[in-house]
Amino acid sequence: MARMASPAQLGYPAAPNRVGKRRVITAPRHLLQIEGMHPPQIDTMLDLAESYVLLNRSGTTQRDLLRGRTLINLFFEDSTRTRTSFELAGKRLGADVINMSVSTSSVNKGETLLDTAATLNAMNCDLLVVRHGQSGAPNLLAQKVDAAVINAGDGTHEHPTQALLDALTIRRRKGRLEGLVVAICGDVLHSRVARSNIHLLGTMGCRVRVVAPPTLIPNQAERLGVDVFHNMKDGLQDADVVMMLRLQRERMSGAGSLVPSPREYFRFWGLDAEKLAFAKDDAIVMHPGPMNRGVEIDSAIADDPVRSVIREQVEMGVAVRMAVLDLLARSNRRND
Ligand code: NCD
């Protein structure tokens, strides 16, 4: 069996410390956003995830770790890879995993988010993974439930586990994060993935660029500490990492005004071999999925076995989510 880094080696106590009768929690209670996290906290999560990569590759599981714990996947928005990834992560650690999607829940019958929270609380769930169309919904739930809440994407706000899995993928390929030039290209305006990545990569010392037409860049993006580019040639120049984003048409009201036709968009903003040549020779290509082939990325690039790390991102996703569930379960131990 692959050797797991011990919690102490990672800077976390194996179990919450006690000072007299008071419990002192040093691991985070929830994972709601990357903004505000410090480099050692991020490193701890990435290091633990790294050990889960080895464990997963060795074909072993750690089913005793979350035995008797309940994880509820509460998804108010469609998802394939994120939900499956959390489900697999929970099961590999031995948790009882329940998937609740909106179409089968009472929310469609008019129940409010807070009623749902009260119901879930009564079920003594330990870990609550939430995806919601409204920015801030997981934060609200975190105030109302006893479970540890993990944000699996809220509106255009954040998607912390995606940024962690992206960072792990980059770190494994490049050997470091500090000093790398990362170009995040496409629909930055609507992307919670971009926002979480900007916070994480900036905190870890990357030079982050956003590359998109002005209509797809948030107002005052520079305040987030990024450099803004309005053409792929300049934006990709000497980049170590090229991260492509999907056009999130479902979040565009009056979509016609924000982007030209898909064909036109591909011509100026779609990543093909010609545009990738502006980046460093060994630049890697990333995409959180789902991809619109032929719109923001050419199929040949997405499937390029040398440059594209898109499949590796999916693998890292499971390891990162195992690490997050592990850490949160440690700090939210019941009955002690
Ligand atoms: C992203 C999301 O849902 O924010 N996808 C994902 O989690 N893998 C990006 C997207 O939907 O384009």
Side-chain angles (χ1 to χ4, degrees):
M1 189 173 117
R3 218 162 55 82
M4 302 285 297
S6 76
Q9 281 169 329
L10 294 167
Y12 277 84
N17 295 326
R18 281 174 192 282
V19 176
K21 282 194 169 165
R22 204 158 51 85
R23 201 166 70 145
V24 180
I25 296 171
T26 42
R29 176 149 159 62
H30 305 286
L31 180 63
L32 301 173
Q33 58 187 43
I34 298 290
E35 187 177 6
M37 279 177 78
H38 300 294
Q41 291 174 304
I42 293 168
D43 274 331
T44 299
M45 290 197 176
L46 297 183
D47 292 346
L48 185 57
E50 185 79 51
S51 63
Y52 277 118
V53 174
L54 302 180
L55 190 82
N56 288 341
R57 287 190 177 174
S58 74
T60 4
T61 49
Q62 279 259 308
R63 295 205 196 277
D64 48 330
L65 211 97
L66 296 184
R67 182 168 296 136
R69 304 289 189 106
T70 306
L71 182 159
I72 298 184
N73 263 328
L74 182 62
F75 277 63
F76 294 88
E77 269 189 353
D78 289 345
S79 165
T80 313
R81 77 192 67 210
T82 305
R83 191 189 52 73
T84 320
S85 183
F86 271 110
E87 183 174 353
L88 203 53
K91 285 182 172 165
R92 287 207 177 142
L93 297 178
D96 297 321
V97 183
I98 293 155
N99 291 315
M100 281 180 66
S101 62
V102 175
S103 54
T104 55
S105 87
S106 314
V107 174
N108 278 351
K109 299 175 191 160
E111 188 174 280
T112 68
L113 188 60
L114 295 181
D115 290 332
T116 308
T119 307
L120 295 174
N121 219 20
M123 291 177 184
N124 287 329
C125 140
D126 299 283
L127 295 149
L128 185 58
V129 177
V130 186
R131 170 166 287 196
H132 200 284
Q134 296 290 320
S135 302
N139 299 58
L140 183 65
L141 277 174
Q143 291 165 28
K144 302 289 172 191
V145 295
D146 298 326
V149 176
I150 300 158
N151 179 4
D154 62 330
T156 59
H157 175 224
E158 282 226 33
H159 190 349
T161 56
Q162 179 70 44
L164 287 163
L165 77 88
D166 288 340
L168 183 62
T169 309
I170 298 171
R171 201 177 77 165
R172 286 174 60 87
R173 278 291 177 127
K174 297 287 174 195
R176 67 184 205 284
L177 292 173
E178 194 169 359
L180 294 178
V181 176
V182 182
I184 304 179
C185 314
D187 188 357
V188 179
L189 180 66
H190 300 103
S191 178
R192 51 202 179 200
V193 174
R195 230 163 299 272
S196 286
N197 264 302
I198 289 169
H199 289 304
L200 193 154
L201 296 171
T203 301
M204 300 308 278
C206 293
R207 282 158 52 204
V208 184
R209 301 173 178 174
V210 293
V211 189
T215 48
L216 295 181
I217 302 258
N219 278 336
Q220 303 185 311
E222 290 88 352
R223 282 197 178 181
L224 296 170
V226 298
D227 294 318
V228 178
F229 291 85
H230 295 309
N231 71 76
M232 292 288 272
K233 184 169 188 286
D234 296 336
L236 264 55
Q237 203 72 51
D238 293 327
D240 297 286
V241 177
V242 182
M243 188 181 290
M244 301 308 297
L245 300 173
R246 182 177 68 90
L247 276 181
Q248 303 206 6
R249 289 186 182 274
E250 74 276 18
R251 298 194 204 284
M252 298 182 196
S253 41
S257 56
L258 290 187
V259 282
S261 69
R263 238 177 101 155
E264 188 88 333
Y265 183 84
F266 181 73
R267 199 171 137 226
F268 289 101
W269 303 102
L271 187 68
D272 54 12
E274 209 178 307
K275 296 191 193 81
L276 183 57
F278 298 129
K280 281 197 181 144
D281 289 343
D282 62 351
I284 54 170
V285 175
M286 309 181 76
H287 194 305
M291 282 186 279
N292 290 314
R293 291 168 181 263
V295 180
E296 72 269 1
I297 190 164
D298 186 33
S299 258
I301 298 292
D303 300 331
D304 183 325
V306 180
R307 311 299 290 278
S308 168
V309 296
I310 295 170
R311 278 198 210 148
E312 210 168 306
Q313 286 174 269
V314 179
E315 181 192 356
M316 294 309 123
V318 178
V320 155
R321 285 161 185 137
M322 290 170 83
V324 168
L325 296 178
D326 177 350
L327 282 172
L328 293 189
R330 279 178 208 178
S331 63
N332 292 274
R333 213 170 280 268
R334 275 195 281 141
N335 309 322
D336 61 351

